[in-house]
Structures are given as structure tokens and as C-alpha cells.
Amino acid sequence: FKENRKDDIWLVDFYAPWCGHCKKLEPVWNEVGIEMRNMGSPVKVGKMDATSFSSIASEFGVRGYPTIKLLKGDLAYNYRGPRTKDDIVEFANRVAGPLIRPLPSQHMFEHVQKRHRVLFVYVGGESPLKEKYIEVASELIVYTYFFSASEDVVPEVSCFHAYYFHRKYEDGDLSSWINRERFQGYLNVDGFTLYELGDTGKLVAIAVIDDKNSSVEHTRLKSIIQEVARDYRDHFHRDFQFGHMDGNDYINSLLMDDLTIPTIVVLNTSNQQYFLPDRHIESTEDMVQFINNILDGTAEAQGGDGLLQRIKRIIYDAKSTIMSVFKSSPLLGCFLFGLPLGVISIMCYGICTADTDGEVFEHEGAKKESGDRELTDEGSEEEQEEEKNGKYTELSDGELKQKDIMEKKKD
């Protein structure tokens, strides 16, 4: 594969046998291979155990599992979208094709407009802007389509896009403008999409709902977000991305909080802050007021990337990891966490026991020393004799002479 891969275009899944996400992708990947073959695509689909062929995985910059890459000549394109068959196949067909697709007629232009909700078209001849456009396309082809056309094919769009770029986004370069505009105004947001939206610098306003719940409240919040995205595009599109998310599991892990659905949350993916409405959102006007409060700084920001939040994140992630391990495999959880805790407990018990024995030993030593002192205080015969002699030295000379006379009389 390493020697012959440049002869073909390859779509490769780099996986690890022990990776749970890789196992979940496996049936989807088989469907991708079947779909690409049935389409007659020139793209070859394969998968590689990155743990067995770590040198090749390192050569392509594989740092996590699973990693999906399209290899085209000397170039390797990373796939970062949702892991569904349709999304992966669409990515492979887009990147494997021409970098800039020409639109030779107005009929073709209308056709691609119907097929793609967002597309970028360079209108005109050779110029420095076209060179820049090609450069940006080579970088962002993994996300969207790039076309070129002459002015007679799309004359009205030519004037519109020239104005749209040079007037409304004159403070940013072409790459940042395309990166901001490559999403449609309203999205079905998931974890992958939210990750990509972080590159746009926009705040993300999300209605967190249950797609399977058809109650009035769930439907109403989703409709409010859709109406704001559509009717207030000129006001908020530059700073906000709108959409809805099915379920609150991902949001809860992101905010380290339990949100009751249905609800609305605005995320700042650049600094991990988020905003929750201080009152119930009943209408489009309420949502517009909430957004304006965020823009003028009167809405209270929660979360963030400060020191306390980082410590909280470490604790939360550790707790979530332990809980997920025990939930998926209780025996494995007991082995991974019970065994180290048992070893640590035994070590602590040994340390505490050793300290206690030392204290008893010191106590007995002190007691013995004290007993010796008591015996010494009573005094041995030698010490008593020395004490008696000491008393004699304290007597005066007259008393000594009188004592000697008394002893002679006794004799």
C-alpha cells in the first residue's frame, strides 16, 4: 500500500482494535465501501490497523482513532464530519473530484444550486483573486464545493458576490470569509458540527429538544430559532449560528450541568462560555431580546476557561470516565479501579501500623529509662558513701576535732 497508494485515490479508516468508536464505525464503513463500488467511483475504500502499522499511521499524522483520510497523490485530507454513510460518501466524491469545478452554462449553474445549499463561485477571468481562490479551495475542499463561471453564465450573482465580499467582509481575508459562510443559516447540530463551528468565531444559538417528542413546547422552541435565523439574518448572521440539537447528553457533558429539555442555550465555542435565558422564551421577540442582551453584555455568561473551570472539568471528566467504564463493564471497572485502591489501602495500613509500632517501642524505651532513673534516685552503696563523705566535708574544723575526741573516748 505504501509503495502503490499514489497510483490511486484512497479513502482509509485508520483504527485500533480496542477502540469502541472504531467498532461502532465498522458497519457504516462497510456500507461506504459498497456504495462507492456501486457508484463506480474511482476511490478505493480500505481500513488499516494503526496499532500494527504505526509507522504508516505516524506518516499520515494519525493521532486518534478512528481517523478517516482521503489520500490523493501527495495530499492527505482529513474527514471531520458526522460518521454516517451519506456524509462520508459525499466527502469522498467532493475531494476526489476537481478542486475547482467549471460551470459552462446557466443551466448547469441552476442545477448545482438545487443540489447544494451552500456553494462558492468565482466569477470572472484570471486575476490575483482567482489565485487566492484556488489556494483557499485546496484548504477548504474538505468542507464545501468550489466552482468557477464566466459573467454571462451568472451575471446577476457576479455583482452580488462582489458586493457581499468586499463590502460586508472587508475586515477579513477570503479564507476566513468562506470559513464563516460555509454553513447554512440553520443546522441540525451535533458534536462534529459544533466542533467545526468553533472555527467560525460565531456564537451558536441552539434549541435543545427531543426530535421524537412532538409536544407543543419542543416544536415551538425549534420554530422560534428557525424564524430568527431566517427573518433576522441581516442582523445576526455575522455573529450567530442557529440550529437545534437532539437530546441533551452532549450539551450536559459540554456544560458540566444537567439541562432540562426543551431549552435554549447560546454557546461561545472560543472560550467555553455559555448563556441561558433568564426567563422563559415565549416568542421570537423574546429570543431577539435575549440575543441583543448577549451582544450588549447585559446577559450573564457562565462557564469559561478559567482555572476553577479547568479544575472542575478535570474532576468531571474523571468522574464521567469512571462511571462509563463501570456502566459498560463492571468487572473491568473493578479491576482497573478496585485493584489500585486495594494496593493503596494496604500501603496506607502498613504505614499506619509501622508508625504505631514505633510509638510503642519509644514508649517502652522511655518507661525503661524512667525506671532506671528511679533506681538511681534511691542510690547505690557507693553513691550513698560518696554522699556521706560529702556531708563530712561540709562540717567545720572544730566539729571534726570534737568528733575525733568522742571516738577516742569510745575506744
Side-chain angles (χ1 to χ4, degrees), residues 218-273:
H218 287 256
T219 306
R220 185 177 59 81
L221 286 183
K222 182 178 177 180
S223 299
I224 288 174
I225 295 291
Q226 288 175 327
E227 290 175 9
V228 173
R230 182 186 66 244
D231 299 339
Y232 292 84
R233 175 184 171 87
D234 291 341
H235 295 85
F236 300 135
H237 177 70
R238 182 178 177 82
D239 301 305
F240 282 85
Q241 176 65 52
F242 298 93
H244 78 275
M245 178 174 283
D246 181 20
N248 61 347
D249 291 340
Y250 186 83
I251 288 291
N252 287 344
S253 65
L254 196 65
L255 307 186
M256 296 179 290
D257 197 1
D258 292 326
L259 292 182
T260 303
I261 58 175
T263 188
I264 288 177
V265 60
V266 176
L267 304 174
N268 187 337
T269 55
S270 63
N271 60 8
Q272 300 180 16
Q273 286 185 342

Side-chain angles (χ1 to χ4, degrees), residues 1 5 8-15 22 25 29 32 36 42-48 50 53-83 87-96 139 141-143 192 195:
F1 169 77
R5 71 168 186 84
D8 299 290
I9 301 175
W10 280 92
L11 182 66
V12 183
D13 167 29
F14 293 91
Y15 72 96
C22 300
L25 176 64
W29 196 251
V32 170
M36 298 297 288
V43 178
K44 293 186 176 182
V45 180
K47 61 181 181 179
M48 178 177 291
F53 303 98
S54 56
S55 60
I56 298 180
S58 299
E59 179 183 341
F60 291 116
V62 176
R63 298 179 181 176
Y65 310 111
T67 294
I68 299 173
K69 288 179 177 284
L70 187 134
L71 310 177
K72 183 180 179 182
D74 294 325
L75 301 176
Y77 297 91
N78 289 332
Y79 176 71
R80 297 175 180 174
R83 291 168 186 164
D87 288 303
I88 296 174
V89 168
E90 199 269 343
F91 162 81
N93 290 330
R94 181 174 67 248
V95 179
E139 174 190 354
I141 187 65
V142 294
Y143 299 122
F192 292 103
Y195 176 79

Side-chain angles (χ1 to χ4, degrees), residues 163-171 177 233-234 238:
Y163 171 80
Y164 197 69
F165 173 68
H166 291 291
R167 298 298 182 187
K168 301 192 73 172
Y169 288 88
E170 58 186 4
D171 58 334
W177 176 72
R233 175 184 171 87
D234 291 341
R238 182 178 177 82

Side-chain angles (χ1 to χ4, degrees), residues 120 132-133 135-137 139-140 143-144 146 164-165 168-183 196-202 237-238:
F120 296 90
K132 181 64 177 178
Y133 181 73
E135 179 184 338
V136 173
E139 174 190 354
L140 301 180
Y143 299 122
T144 188
F146 293 86
Y164 197 69
F165 173 68
K168 301 192 73 172
Y169 288 88
E170 58 186 4
D171 58 334
D173 60 14
L174 182 61
S175 178
S176 62
W177 176 72
I178 291 176
N179 202 36
R180 291 169 63 89
E181 295 298 323
R182 61 186 175 89
F183 297 97
E196 290 185 19
L197 288 171
D199 296 335
T200 66
K202 293 182 179 182
H237 177 70
R238 182 178 177 82

